[in-house]
Structures are given as structure tokens and as C-alpha cells.
Amino acid sequence: MDRCIVLVDAGYLLGAAASLLAGEPSRSRITVDHAALIQGLREQAESETERPLLRIYWFDGAPDRVPQPEHRRLRVMPRVTVRLGALTRSDGRWAQKGVDAAMHAELTELARNRACSDVVLVTGDGDLLPGMMAAKEHGVAVHLWAVQAADGDYNQSEDLVAEADERRVLDRTWITKAVRAKEAGGVCAPPPVPRPEIAAILSAPLPESGLSASRERPADRPRHPADAGERAAAEERLPAAKGVPTPKDLAALRAPGAQGGDRQPATATLRWSSDKGWVDRPGTATEPPEAASMPTLAQLTTAEQRWADREEDITTVGGDPYEVGQVFARRWVERLGDQVHLQKLSSMYPRVPHRVDGELLRYAARFGLLAHKDDQIDEHDRYAIRAGFWREIDVRTDAEHAPAGD
């Protein structure tokens, strides 16, 4: 049939784009506008083949073949079909399993059934050579696309290049329409406005793989005069290797006799979102009664809202941990009938009540967050999730108290 089909090896496309833009093939170093990328692939394929697009097949790996946030967004886009292989860890490195075999099977079947006249392959792996040859034998024109190599050399199998009917290189200009490099050493989103009792947490050094967006403070929010001094003192006392300090670490910092002599007054004891090692208010062994009565998002959500939430999660929520925390908090606040709960919650900062916190983390788990990374739970994701939650709560609390004329 006079139609074109695009088969994309996402590992190759995004890994090569990361090498080109960020200097290393890690996909965590780039951000991708998947809608723009799919549109670019479609327009380029239809222009080059002079055939209308039938479908784009997106082949990628995922842990246990469980769709990740980007896969959920992609598979609801028009003319896009997602095929997932496994993502396994071996010798400290992640590797795709079954992706090449799936691409080979799809290419061969499409050609045998004469589903298209032209097929575009975005891949570099020579394992696809037999499938390419079989497609040509069935009368299909094979177009091979490469991503511009960072070093100017080939990043594709020479056998694939030799066997292709047509060849194109997607250069930096084309790639940057949908892909950009993250700023080195950045953080994924601004943390909540610093408060004295949590300044040490915000000043703790983070590893390069941690949060990746701006730390800018809103211009209209006052800066606490003690923040700069506390940040500098905390950085001297907290070992860089530990990353975000635990509640136990901070409790030790604030204890009598801690170095620097700048411990918090007794009224500013540490409260934290973890159930392990947190320091409660003086004279209280458990959460305050108002925390136990705090409604959960599930209790505030109707069946219709639950359906709409799932649609939003699939189509618009990107899965960044900070963003996930914000989305959860926005829904919770908007559905509160009694805004007194919002004031109570704000007074508990930075501890999220146990029931709400558990629900927040379960929601984050839907996006593949909190998973085991390098055989350890990623505490930086947990921190970013709660930071996003508190930033949204702060914004909503300020809005409740804003003068009517503002």
C-alpha cells in the first residue's frame, strides 16, 4: 500500500541525542517534548517518502515491561503504537532486552503483509539487518535515519548503512526542536521557600543525578535573614557524601552542644515526612490529633474526578518527582470543602501527616518513582516529591490569605 511506517528504536534515538547535546548517552541528561518529537518524525517521514503516514512504532525498554510515564503519554497519541522490551541491569549498567527482536518481527510482518510501500528505520543496531533485507525482498523501500554523532563519526552499523535504500541524518537543528540538554548540576524544580527549621536540608549538597531545575526563589517572597548563615554553617558540618541529611542527622545538628552554637530554639523542633527518626513537638509521642483527622485525596475524590485524574496522569503529567508532588497537592486543596484543614496542614510543615504522605508516595509510584535504583531507594525522589507538595501548599495558602484587591 502507498503508505509509510516509522519504526523507532527509542534507546538509540534518545541515547544518541543525549550524546550529541549533553556529551554522554544517559537519557537522564535530556528533556524530551514527545509530542513535538512525534510530530517531527511524522512530517519528516511524509516529506521524504511522499507517502501518508500509517503509523509510528515506538520500541523501548522498561523495567518488567511496565510502561513508564513517557510510554503512557506516547501510546495515547494518534498514530503511535508503543512496543516494550525489558530493561535489565547487568554489571552496573542498564540494557534493553527484546527490543531488537521486536523491531525485526514487526518489520518483517509489515513487509510480508504489504502494509506499506516505505518504511523508515531510526536505529543503529546491526541486528536489524536481516529484517531490513527481508523487507526489501518484499518490495518495501527502506529509509535509514541516523542521529548526528557527537564526534562526527558513524553511530550506526556500517552494514545497515550499506543495505539501506535511502539515508538521512537528523542533525542538531532537527533534534533540538524537541530535545534539549538539562543544565549540568541543576535541580529539577525550585524547593519550597526556606524556613529556619529546614534550612539545613535545603543547603545540603545533592549528587549530580538529583534534582535538576532552578533553585530560584519567587521575587515577592521575603528571605529569612538567617538563611544565608545557616546554609553556610550547615554545608560545613554536613558531609557531602551523604547527600540529603536524614531527620536523625538534623536532630543531632539541633541538639545542645552541636557545632556552631546556632541550634534552633525549643519551639522550632524538627518535624519531617519520614516515619523513621523524626523529632516530634515537645511532649508529643505521636502525630497531633488534627493530623489523624486530615482527609485523604481518595476521600475527597468522586468517581468522575478519579477518571479525569487518570486521564490527566496519562496525557499531561510528566512524571518529574517535583511535578508529581505539585499535582497531588493541587487536587487535594481544590477538593477540600473545609479550608481549615489547609491551615492545619501548613502549620505542620515540613511533616506531611502519615495518611496523606503514604497516599502521596503511592501516587508517585504510578510514575515509576521510588523504585530501586542502584539497589537503593532513591531518597532524592522522595525529597523532590514532598518539596513539590509543599510548594503547592504554600502557594495555595498564600492565595487564601491574599487581600481581595490583589
Side-chain angles (χ1 to χ4, degrees), residues 28-273:
S28 65
R29 296 294 307 277
I30 56 174
T31 57
V32 184
D33 182 341
H34 289 90
L37 182 58
I38 291 298
Q39 184 63 27
L41 289 169
R42 177 172 187 167
E43 291 175 355
Q44 188 71 44
E46 290 181 336
S47 173
E48 180 168 321
T49 65
E50 299 182 348
R51 301 285 188 269
L53 177 76
L54 173 62
R55 190 173 298 116
I56 294 176
Y57 288 88
W58 185 271
F59 295 87
D60 203 1
D64 299 323
R65 290 186 166 85
V66 176
Q68 300 301 295
E70 64 185 82
H71 304 138
R72 295 190 182 98
R73 292 195 299 277
L74 284 163
R75 66 184 183 180
V76 297
M77 292 181 184
R79 305 281 180 149
V80 176
T81 296
V82 175
R83 297 279 189 259
L84 294 180
L87 192 63
T88 60
R89 191 170 182 81
S90 177
D91 297 327
R93 301 183 64 182
W94 291 101
Q96 294 183 159
K97 298 293 183 183
V99 172
D100 296 333
M103 288 188 71
H104 177 277
E106 198 74 58
L107 174 60
T108 305
E109 191 69 14
L110 291 169
R112 182 183 298 117
N113 292 328
R114 302 185 183 279
C116 59
S117 60
D118 296 75
V119 63
V120 174
L121 297 178
V122 186
T123 185
D125 199 325
D127 290 346
L128 207 59
L129 182 62
M132 178 186 285
M133 297 173 66
K136 291 175 64 177
E137 290 173 0
H138 285 92
V140 174
V142 179
H143 304 251
L144 181 66
W145 290 359
V147 175
Q148 179 182 341
D151 57 4
D153 202 352
Y154 284 113
N155 55 13
Q156 289 178 306
S157 161
E158 291 188 18
D159 291 333
L160 280 184
V161 173
E163 194 67 30
D165 295 307
E166 302 285 347
R167 187 166 176 264
R168 172 173 293 278
V169 176
L170 304 176
D171 60 17
R172 180 185 293 268
T173 301
W174 192 96
I175 292 294
T176 52
K177 292 178 181 178
V179 183
R180 64 181 178 83
K182 294 179 181 177
E183 293 184 8
V187 290
C188 66
V193 174
R195 305 186 189 187
E197 70 269 28
I198 203 171
I201 294 176
L202 299 180
S203 65
L206 297 176
E208 292 182 359
S209 61
L211 308 179
S212 62
S214 167
R215 284 184 180 268
E216 292 179 359
R217 173 198 302 271
D220 58 342
R221 297 299 293 270
R223 196 175 178 88
H224 193 282
D227 283 352
E230 288 198 9
R231 286 171 183 264
E235 286 177 357
E236 291 179 1
R237 295 193 302 271
L238 293 174
K242 294 197 67 172
V244 176
T246 66
K248 186 176 180 181
D249 295 332
L250 294 178
L253 272 180
R254 299 307 178 197
Q259 295 180 18
D262 60 345
R263 67 182 180 89
Q264 293 294 321
T267 56
T269 54
L270 176 69
R271 288 157 283 145
W272 184 242
S273 299

Side-chain angles (χ1 to χ4, degrees), residues 355-397:
R355 296 168 69 224
V356 177
D357 190 49
E359 189 180 36
L360 169 62
L361 296 182
R362 287 193 298 273
Y363 172 65
R366 297 180 187 174
F367 298 90
L369 302 172
L370 312 178
H372 285 271
K373 299 178 181 179
D374 298 328
D375 301 321
Q376 292 183 352
I377 296 294
D378 194 328
E379 288 297 330
H380 298 88
D381 278 356
R382 293 176 183 264
Y383 175 74
I385 292 162
R386 289 158 175 152
F389 176 90
W390 280 116
R391 170 53 64 85
E392 190 69 16
I393 294 297
D394 279 349
V395 170
R396 300 283 173 163
T397 304

